[in-house]
Amino acid sequence: MTTDHRPVSTKSPVQKAALVVGAVFLLVGVLGFIPGITSDYDTMKFAEHHSEAKLLGVFQVSILHNIVHLLFGVAGIAMARAASTARTYLLAGGAVYLLLWLYGLFIDHDSAANFVPVNTADNWLHFFLGIGMIALGALLTRTRTTR
């Protein structure tokens, strides 16, 4: 008879959430560089609104945009090692995405200010990502008090 000596996962829910969010960002960053998954790939620019490449044919991307996704992914995976840093990743990352949402709402999408670049679909995705990440960071670290 053999005994199983595999370590039991001791990751908290917030660590698991940060790990999943980070992995998704990493995947999206990679997919943004794959022709076919990204339509109009040949029009992709480094960082300007003239990049007409669209991830899944919907979300406007550029090389910079994809790099940001990759960095957010690496950060999420690295910060998932501890509950406190996982929480910080989700809360701060969510705040960044809400700021990107506001930025995308107020800039002229056909101007040089749209250097990331973003379109309307990106804007609303950023809104939901921001709210979702903040909700995960806050709700998964709530402490319960018992009487």
Side-chain angles (χ1 to χ4, degrees), residues 83-99:
S84 62
T85 55
R87 181 177 195 268
T88 299
Y89 168 75
L90 292 169
L91 294 175
V96 167
Y97 271 93
L98 287 178
L99 288 173

Side-chain angles (χ1 to χ4, degrees), residues 61-141:
V61 292
S62 66
I63 294 169
L64 177 62
H65 203 147
N66 291 333
I67 290 170
V68 169
H69 289 146
L70 291 170
L71 291 174
F72 256 84
V74 169
I77 291 167
M79 294 177 80
R81 291 181 183 164
S84 62
T85 55
R87 181 177 195 268
T88 299
Y89 168 75
L90 292 169
L91 294 175
V96 167
Y97 271 93
L98 287 178
L99 288 173
L100 278 172
W101 169 65
L102 289 172
Y103 181 76
L105 287 179
F106 291 109
I107 62 164
D108 177 1
H109 288 188
D110 293 322
S111 73
N114 190 15
F115 66 94
V116 173
V118 294
N119 61 13
T120 301
D122 287 308
N123 288 341
W124 290 107
L125 179 61
H126 292 159
F127 173 76
F128 289 113
L129 280 171
I131 295 297
M133 289 175 74
I134 289 171
L136 286 170
L139 295 175
L140 294 177
T141 55

Side-chain angles (χ1 to χ4, degrees), residues 138-146:
L139 295 175
L140 294 177
T141 55
R142 290 188 314 179
T143 57
R144 294 183 185 175
T145 56
T146 57

Side-chain angles (χ1 to χ4, degrees), residues 30-53:
V30 169
L31 292 176
F33 288 113
I34 299 176
I37 294 174
T38 299
S39 62
D40 299 319
Y41 187 83
D42 57 326
T43 68
M44 188 181 298
K45 307 287 186 208
F46 179 75
E48 59 181 85
H49 67 282
H50 294 297
S51 183
E52 293 300 322

